[in-house]
Amino acid sequence: MVEHDSCNDASTEHEQPSPAKGKPAVTRRTVLGMAGCGVAGLILGGTLSRWGVAESAIASGRIEVSTTPTKMIVTDRGRCSGCQRCEMMCTLKNDGHVSQHTARVRVWENYNFGPSPDSPDGQFGDCQYTIQSCKQCAEPRCAAYCPVHAIYTDEETGARAIDAERCIGCGGCHSACPWNMPVVDPLTGVSTKCISCGRCADQCPNGAITFIDWKDIADEVLAKGLVSTVDA
């Protein structure tokens, strides 16, 4: 039902970010423990309907959900106009210049015909555009295949990130990733990938990309009466 649910629902101690000093952390593990179910259960139970995440939207392929320990990331191809502003803003923030090649979120690859030969997407199809970004896998192949162990888990966000000083630019992470998300920047010779900074979502004019704090989802779980208390 949720394409990447099994990949991202695997919760291990090492992937949990360190809580800010003096503040209890509300993470994916906290919320799923509260609700007593996985992400698919939250969708079936209607907990995520506030953000337009419903079973029918998932089943139709219009909406895709991926998660990190601190965020849920929702992309809605029905809202994407193909303007590619997300790509521009991503690279301006992270690279200081506009570059489709190194954009951590991608629309341009699917702009004309969609992500596969039989896809109805793109400007020559139904004018819906598939938004692609890192799935933040619980067991990332990019990290497993990196010969110098340059890919690590950011302690604050839980996102998979690349150590630019350690990376040798071999492109092994790009080849290992099923979606080829990491790419080597030809200007720096270093691989780069999405770190879930949220710039793409902030700058999308149509709300096609949404980053949801697990704290907000926890509040929704409480509001729907699935649990009565939250462990501090």
Side-chain angles (χ1 to χ4, degrees):
M1 181 176 299
V2 181
E3 184 175 350
H4 309 297
D5 193 17
S6 60
C7 180
N8 288 292
D9 272 358
S11 296
T12 55
E13 289 296 337
H14 74 275
E15 75 168 26
Q16 300 303 316
S18 301
K21 187 175 181 180
K23 295 183 179 180
V26 177
T27 66
R28 176 176 55 204
R29 173 177 290 181
T30 306
V31 176
L32 299 185
M34 288 167 55
C37 63
V39 173
L42 293 177
I43 295 169
L44 285 171
T47 306
L48 304 177
S49 59
R50 169 182 165 188
W51 295 280
V53 182
E55 183 182 7
S56 58
I58 295 287
S60 69
R62 196 193 90 199
I63 283 181
E64 182 177 306
V65 173
S66 59
T67 68
T68 74
T70 59
K71 304 282 184 182
M72 176 177 286
I73 305 166
V74 180
T75 56
D76 186 341
R77 55 197 285 276
R79 287 179 172 269
C80 179
S81 65
C83 71
Q84 301 169 65
R85 181 180 175 88
C86 55
E87 298 173 346
M88 292 186 287
M89 294 299 105
C90 167
T91 51
L92 277 174
K93 175 180 174 63
N94 292 287
D95 302 323
H97 60 270
V98 173
S99 171
Q100 283 186 321
H101 176 73
T102 58
R104 286 82 171 161
V105 57
R106 299 177 199 159
V107 176
W108 67 271
E109 287 184 341
N110 310 311
Y111 186 78
N112 288 327
F113 300 104
S116 64
D118 58 348
S119 169
D121 286 5
Q123 67 170 341
F124 295 113
D126 59 10
C127 289
Q128 290 193 354
Y129 305 97
T130 298
I131 307 162
Q132 292 183 307
S133 63
C134 177
K135 316 304 179 186
Q136 303 297 350
C137 300
E139 297 181 2
R141 293 185 187 179
C142 58
Y145 281 84
C146 178
V148 293
H149 309 292
I151 299 177
Y152 65 98
T153 301
D154 185 278
E155 292 184 357
E156 291 187 5
T157 66
R160 315 307 177 192
I162 295 174
D163 185 337
E165 294 185 1
R166 186 182 288 266
C167 176
I168 58 175
C170 68
C173 53
H174 175 84
S175 300
C177 173
W179 303 275
N180 302 123
M181 287 293 104
V183 294
V184 176
D185 187 334
L187 295 180
T188 64
V190 172
S191 187
T192 183
K193 63 176 293 297
C194 175
I195 56 173
S196 299
C197 70
R199 180 67 170 175
C200 56
D202 292 341
Q203 293 295 317
C204 178
N206 303 313
I209 307 172
T210 306
F211 280 60
I212 310 169
D213 288 336
W214 282 105
K215 173 64 170 64
D216 294 332
I217 299 174
D219 291 341
E220 195 71 6
V221 168
L222 287 171
K224 290 186 177 295
L226 297 182
V227 293
S228 58
T229 60
V230 181
D231 293 334

